[in-house]
C-alpha cells in the first residue's frame, strides 16, 4: 500500500525536558503508537445522498487495534469533467507485514459543489463511471466505454497486455473477423533497451496467437511459431480455415545495435 504521508519523529533524548518520540514498532494501546496516512481500498461507489454527493465504500484495514481509523477524503479536485479524490485512512500497523490480515467495511461521503451527474470519478487513480444508475469500475486497458467492435485496436491491445510478454510488446494483427483473432507478438522487442545499447544483439522469439471472442475480451486458444492451421484447429476445431491456411511460420525478431567506432588518436 502506497504511503501518502509519513510521521516524522525527532529523537531528542539528549535535550533536557523534551520527551523522545515513540519507536515505530511501539504497539497501539499504550498511548504512543505512530500513525501514518495510507490509501484505503475502494470497494464500491453508490450515488447520493443528494445529487452533489456519492458514498464511497471502503475495505478498511482490520484485525487488531491500530489497523485503521479516520477513513476520509484526502486530496480532492475537479477538472476536465472528472472528479479526482484520494480516499485515505490512518494506520499504525500498515507497515508491519501480516499485522492487519482482514478488512472491515467503512463509508465516506464525497461531495461536490455542483451536481455530480454522470461525471466519472477517479478514486485513488482508478476510474469509476455511472452506468444505468450504478457505478462500476472502468477497465484499466479498455476504459469506461470500450468500442463494440472487438477488432478495434482498443481490444487487440488489451489482448496483448494479457499475454506473457514484455510490456513493450505491441502485436501485429493478421486476421480478425469479430469472433476469431490472429496476431503475432514478439516476446520482448526492447531487449536491448528503448534505444538499443551499442553492440547489443538479441534474437527474440515472435509467436502467433489465436484468440476467441469471449464476454470479457479476447481469450487465447493456441500459440505457435509454425504456419498453417494445425495448432489452432487441434485446440479449436471450429476455427475457420480461411484465417489460417496461408499463414507462414513466424520469423524471429533480431535486434542489432551497431558498435560505435573506436576513438581516433587526438580525439
Amino acid at each position: 500500500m502506497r504511503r501518502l504521508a509519513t510521521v516524522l519523529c525527532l529523537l531528542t533524548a539528549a535535550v533536557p525536558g523534551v520527551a523522545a518520540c515513540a519507536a515505530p514498532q511501539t504497539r497501539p494501546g499504550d498511548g504512543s503508537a505512530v500513525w501514518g496516512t495510507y490509501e484505503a481500498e475502494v470497494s464500491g461507489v453508490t450515488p447520493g445522498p443528494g445529487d452533489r454527493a456519492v458514498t464511497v465504500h471502503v475495505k478498511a484495514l482490520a484485525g487488531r487495534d491500530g489497523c485503521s481509523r479516520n477513513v476520509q477524503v484526502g486530496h480532492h479536485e475537479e477538472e476536465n469533467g472528472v472528479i479526482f479524490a484520494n480516499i485515505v485512512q490512518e494506520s499504525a500497523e500498515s507497515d508491519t507485514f501480516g499485522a492487519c490480515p482482514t478488512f472491515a467495511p467503512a463509508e465516506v461521503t464525497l461531495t461536490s459543489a455542483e451536481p455530480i451527474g454522470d461525471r466519472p470519478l477517479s478514486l485513488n487513480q482508478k476510474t469509476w463511471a455511472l452506468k444505468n444508475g450504478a457505478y462500476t469500475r472502468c477497465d484499466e486497458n479498455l476504459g469506461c466505454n470500450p468500442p463494440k467492435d472487438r477488432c478495434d485496436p482498443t481490444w487487440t491491445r488489451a489482448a496483448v497486455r494479457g499475454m506473457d510478454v514484455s510490456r513493450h510488446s505491441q502485436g501485429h494483427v493478421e486476421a480478425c473477423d469479430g469472433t476469431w483473432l490472429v496476431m503475432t507478438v514478439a516476446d520482448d522487442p526492447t531487449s536491448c533497451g528503448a534505444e538499443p545499447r551499442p553492440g547489443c544483439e538479441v534474437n527474440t522469439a515472435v509467436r502467433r496467437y489465436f484468440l476467441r471472442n469471449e464476454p470479457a475480451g479476447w481469450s487465447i486458444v493456441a500459440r505457435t511459431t509454425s504456419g498453417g492451421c494445425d495448432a489452432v484447429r487441434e485446440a479449436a476445431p471450429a476455427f475457420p480455415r480461411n484465417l489460417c491456411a496461408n499463414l507462414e511460420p513466424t520469423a524471429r525478431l533480431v535486434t542489432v545495435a551497431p558498435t560505435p567506432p573506436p576513438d581516433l588518436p587526438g580525439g
Side-chain angles (χ1 to χ4, degrees), residues 6-172:
T6 303
V7 177
L8 299 179
C9 187
L10 299 177
L11 300 179
T12 56
V15 181
V18 179
C21 296
Q25 65 269 22
T26 302
R27 312 312 302 172
D30 64 1
S32 57
V34 177
W35 292 80
T37 304
Y38 301 83
E39 284 185 347
E41 182 179 350
V42 176
S43 58
V45 183
T46 52
D51 63 352
R52 301 188 181 193
V54 295
T55 300
V56 182
H57 304 274
V58 172
K59 294 170 65 176
L61 294 173
R64 63 182 299 160
D65 291 339
C67 283
S68 180
R69 71 181 186 186
N70 295 339
V71 176
Q72 59 188 295
V73 177
H75 179 74
H76 172 203
E77 65 180 3
E78 304 178 17
E79 60 180 16
N80 299 324
V82 180
I83 300 175
F84 298 87
N86 284 335
I87 311 301
V88 299
Q89 63 188 330
E90 293 179 355
S91 176
E93 294 286 357
S94 185
D95 282 338
T96 304
F97 179 76
C100 301
T102 60
F103 297 95
E107 295 180 354
V108 62
T109 301
L110 172 63
T111 60
S112 173
E114 302 292 336
I116 292 177
D118 59 358
R119 285 184 289 169
L121 314 173
S122 179
L123 307 177
N124 295 352
Q125 297 82 52
K126 299 185 184 301
T127 305
W128 296 74
L130 185 65
K131 295 182 179 181
N132 300 320
Y135 280 97
T136 57
R137 203 176 91 177
C138 301
D139 188 273
E140 293 182 3
N141 296 320
L142 298 172
C144 299
N145 297 290
K148 294 182 179 180
D149 180 10
R150 289 297 180 94
C151 295
D152 186 273
T154 301
W155 285 100
T156 59
R157 286 195 298 263
V160 174
R161 295 189 187 103
M163 298 175 182
D164 186 19
V165 296
S166 165
R167 64 185 180 88
H168 299 289
S169 297
Q170 298 295 319
H172 169 68

